[in-house]
């Protein structure tokens, strides 16, 4: 998408027409359709939008062109946190608003990508969690064994909107685009007791939110880099990797000062400095646990909460009294296991073997129930339905998958 004609100096002008162009809206709709998702406050589903998508997109084009577009409130739902009884809020914009947010992101993202620091990995083109994890592993290998584990309290819900918009306006001089972004931030949230104003934050679940969140933390990325610190950030998950305790203490102080000036609060219990030199020391990052084992190497395990999340998802599907055959169950749980492996394939082999064993034990429990036997599976059940039995049925094995990886991802980090 050509944007260079709309730039003067370091600021970008005349961008709104790029957002409401029919081509941009069509491409944005294709992305929204591919991502599917739930309906917003207007109960318009992706399938229903698709039936008359051409006319709907033309209407959006006209409303944006004539400054008549007004986002609807975000529908707030509460979802369980992994391994916790607590709930976290998720905002669901309407399908139409998701299309417009996607179009805005498509236009704005290339502008800000030029400004982002190299070790920011979250929600950026061509980057992902595994890139951030590899960076952390590399720094551990290089001797950065004092880790500043940073946790921002309710980051997405507490970003100061005025400061965020001011930061965006340093690059975007198109007043209509700024007005559009502000309208998304202030569209409100629909809860059971009605619509509430949103005077802070950018809703989790909004298509444009990850980009705005990266924009707001970008000055911190550069401050740390220019001060000589090795910070690895994925959205609001971040660690500063230091060689000694003194440097880690200074890094935490610098982050704390910046957060206070930015109107953000560090979680007092979750933000900490971890010395990774003693045996059994550990820290968690992006669902993984980096752990110093008794041999002196640092291994990557699956964080306990992430394991609990997988088990919580599989338990209802593998109840002993379900009416499906084992073959039918495998068609349901295999895609879940493949997806989980795709993310956690860097974990230690023991973690993968343990998870495989847990899944097979659930399936043995079903087979045992069907033979009218009570209690948990025992040694005789293992003999009757050995691991090979489930392999022959086609159960996806995390352990077997790891053996076919082109690179050995289970090796420890020696440092």
């Amino acid at each position: 998408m050509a944007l260079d004609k709309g730039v003067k100096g370091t600021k970008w002008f005349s961008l709104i027409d790029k957002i409401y162009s029919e081509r941009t809206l069509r491409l944005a709709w294709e992305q929204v359709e591919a991502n599917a998702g739930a309906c917003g406050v207007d109960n318009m589903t992706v399938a229903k939008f698709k039936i008359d998508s051409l006319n709907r997109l033309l209407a959006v084009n006209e409303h944006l062109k004539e400054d008549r577009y007004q986002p609807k409130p975000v529908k707030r739902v509460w979802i369980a946190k992994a391994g916790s009884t607590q709930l976290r809020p998720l905002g669901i914009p309407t399908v139409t608003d998701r299309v417009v947010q996607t179009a805005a992101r498509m236009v704005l993202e290339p502008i800000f990508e030029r400004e982002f620091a190299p070790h920011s990995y979250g929600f950026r083109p061509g980057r992902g969690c595994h890139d951030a994890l590899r960076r952390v592993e590399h720094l551990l290998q290089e001797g950065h064994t004092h880790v500043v584990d940073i946790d921002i309290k309710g980051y997405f819900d507490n970003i100061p909107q005025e400061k965020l918009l001011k930061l965006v306006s340093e690059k975007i001089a198109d007043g209509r685009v700024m007005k559009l972004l502000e309208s998304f931030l202030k569209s409100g949230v629909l809860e059971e007791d009605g619509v509430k104003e949103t005077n802070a934050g950018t809703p989790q679940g909004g298509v444009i939110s990850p980009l705005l969140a990266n924009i707001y933390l970008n000055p911190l990325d550069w401050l740390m880099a220019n001060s000589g610190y090795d910070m690895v950030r994925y959205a609001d998950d971040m660690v500063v990797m230091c060689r000694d305790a003194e440097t880690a203490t200074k890094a935490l102080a610098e982050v704390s000062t910046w957060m206070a000036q930015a109107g953000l609060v560090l979680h007092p219990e979750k933000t900490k400095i971890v010395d990774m030199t003693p045996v059994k020391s550990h820290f968690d990052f992006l669902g993984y646990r980096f752990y110093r084992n008794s041999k002196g190497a640092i291994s990557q395990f699956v964080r306990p909460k992430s394991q609990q999340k997988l088990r919580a998802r599989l338990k209802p599907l593998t109840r002993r009294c379900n009416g499906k055959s084992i073959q039918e169950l495998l068609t349901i749980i295999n895609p879940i296991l493949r997806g989980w492996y795709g993310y956690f394939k860097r974990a230690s082999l023991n973690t993968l073997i343990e998870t495989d064993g847990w899944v097979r034990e659930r399936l043995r429990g079903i087979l045992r129930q069907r033979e009218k036997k009570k209690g948990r599976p025992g040694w005789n059940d293992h003999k009757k339905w050995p691991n090979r039995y489930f392999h022959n049925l086609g159960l996806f094995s995390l352990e077997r998958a790891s053996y076919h990886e082109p690179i050995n991802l289970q090796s420890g980090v020696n440092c």
Side-chain angles (χ1 to χ4, degrees):
M1 189 177 296
L3 295 173
D4 292 345
K5 293 181 180 179
V7 63
K8 295 180 181 178
T10 60
K11 286 203 171 189
W12 296 78
F13 296 78
S14 305
L15 291 173
I16 190 66
D17 61 313
K18 313 294 189 302
I19 294 175
Y20 67 61
S21 79
E22 293 181 18
R23 179 176 180 272
T24 305
L25 290 175
R26 186 177 66 254
L27 292 172
W29 156 241
E30 289 174 0
Q31 288 189 24
V32 171
E33 182 185 14
N35 292 333
C39 59
V41 297
D42 61 355
N43 294 320
M44 171 75 70
T45 64
V46 170
K48 188 175 179 181
F49 190 101
K50 182 179 180 179
I51 294 172
D52 196 24
S53 61
L54 180 59
N55 287 328
R56 294 185 193 281
L57 294 176
L58 287 173
V60 170
N61 169 275
E62 291 178 8
H63 290 162
L64 287 170
K65 191 181 297 185
E66 299 169 5
D67 282 337
R68 292 190 293 115
Y69 181 80
Q70 183 58 48
K72 288 182 167 54
V74 170
K75 181 168 71 175
R76 172 162 286 177
V77 296
W78 295 87
I79 60 176
K81 286 187 175 181
S84 171
T85 57
Q86 296 181 332
L87 300 175
R88 68 179 180 89
L90 182 67
I92 304 176
T94 65
V95 175
T96 303
D97 288 340
R98 298 207 292 269
V99 170
V100 177
Q101 286 191 32
T102 302
R105 189 200 65 207
M106 290 169 63
V107 171
L108 298 178
E109 188 173 67
I111 295 172
F112 287 97
E113 267 297 312
R114 305 179 182 192
E115 311 295 324
F116 288 157
H119 296 306
S120 161
Y121 296 93
F123 306 106
R124 295 183 59 188
R127 292 164 173 256
C129 292
H130 287 172
D131 297 307
L133 290 163
R134 275 190 289 269
R135 177 64 179 164
V136 169
E137 183 175 11
H138 172 74
L139 289 168
L140 286 168
Q141 289 175 336
E142 293 293 310
H144 294 70
T145 54
H146 289 73
V147 182
V148 185
D149 190 354
I150 299 166
D151 187 285
I152 306 174
K153 204 170 183 179
Y155 174 59
F156 280 84
D157 288 333
N158 291 297
I159 299 174
Q161 292 180 353
E162 187 175 338
K163 291 183 177 181
L164 170 60
L165 291 170
K166 183 178 180 181
L167 202 57
V168 176
S169 69
E170 291 178 5
K171 287 291 172 186
I172 307 301
D174 188 326
R176 295 172 70 184
V177 172
M178 295 302 301
K179 181 181 176 182
L180 178 65
L181 293 178
E182 185 176 12
S183 71
F184 280 123
L185 294 174
K186 298 189 177 299
S187 62
V189 174
L190 178 64
E191 294 187 332
E192 291 182 0
D193 54 350
V195 177
K196 294 184 179 179
E197 292 184 0
T198 46
N199 296 316
T202 176
Q204 293 191 57
V207 179
I208 197 85
S209 294
L211 174 61
L212 296 177
N214 274 336
I215 291 171
Y216 199 67
L217 288 177
N218 189 49
L220 174 63
D221 294 336
W222 284 111
L223 171 66
M224 299 304 286
N226 293 334
S227 298
Y229 297 110
D230 289 290
M231 186 167 83
V232 183
R233 183 174 69 80
Y234 188 98
D236 59 332
D237 288 326
M238 64 194 86
V239 288
V240 186
M241 311 295 292
C242 305
R243 291 186 179 274
D244 53 64
E246 182 181 358
T247 305
T249 301
K250 290 180 180 178
L252 179 55
E254 192 141 4
V255 171
S256 299
T257 299
W258 186 91
M259 291 288 174
Q261 294 171 348
L264 300 171
V265 177
L266 292 177
H267 197 293
E269 297 173 358
K270 296 180 180 179
T271 299
K272 57 188 179 296
I273 296 174
V274 180
D275 179 0
M276 287 295 293
T277 55
V279 170
K280 295 185 179 181
S281 56
H282 71 270
F283 69 96
D284 297 337
F285 186 57
L286 298 180
Y288 279 80
R289 171 160 291 181
F290 290 82
Y291 179 86
R292 172 79 69 177
N293 62 34
S294 58
K295 295 180 179 179
I298 296 179
S299 299
Q300 295 181 42
F301 293 91
V302 179
R303 187 180 67 155
K305 286 184 178 180
S306 300
Q307 288 180 313
Q308 292 167 16
K309 186 176 181 181
L310 174 68
R311 295 187 180 193
R313 187 177 180 189
L314 291 178
K315 277 183 177 180
L317 302 174
T318 55
R319 296 188 191 280
R320 294 188 182 189
C321 297
N322 75 80
K324 292 183 172 62
S325 69
I326 297 296
Q327 203 69 58
E328 288 176 309
L329 286 175
L330 296 189
T331 63
I332 298 171
I333 68 174
N334 273 349
I336 297 172
L337 292 171
R338 286 193 184 95
W340 195 83
Y341 173 76
Y343 186 79
F344 287 110
K345 61 187 176 182
R346 299 181 65 83
S348 71
L349 185 58
N350 286 340
T351 301
L352 304 180
I353 291 173
E354 179 187 347
T355 303
D356 277 339
W358 181 86
V359 173
R360 287 192 295 264
E361 203 72 357
R362 296 288 296 180
L363 297 176
R364 287 189 185 101
I366 294 172
L367 294 170
R368 181 180 172 84
Q369 173 74 17
R370 289 174 183 175
E371 291 192 349
K372 309 298 182 184
K373 295 178 181 178
K374 296 182 180 180
R376 295 183 177 181
W379 175 246
N380 288 333
D381 301 301
H382 282 259
K383 289 176 64 179
K384 187 170 185 176
W385 300 296
N387 296 353
R388 184 177 63 256
Y389 172 82
F390 298 104
H391 172 68
N392 292 337
L393 285 177
L395 174 64
F396 179 80
S397 168
L398 308 173
E399 179 186 4
R400 286 176 179 271
S402 71
Y403 293 148
H404 292 89
E405 285 295 326
I407 300 175
N408 181 14
L409 297 172
Q410 279 78 42
S411 59
V413 181
N414 292 297
C415 48

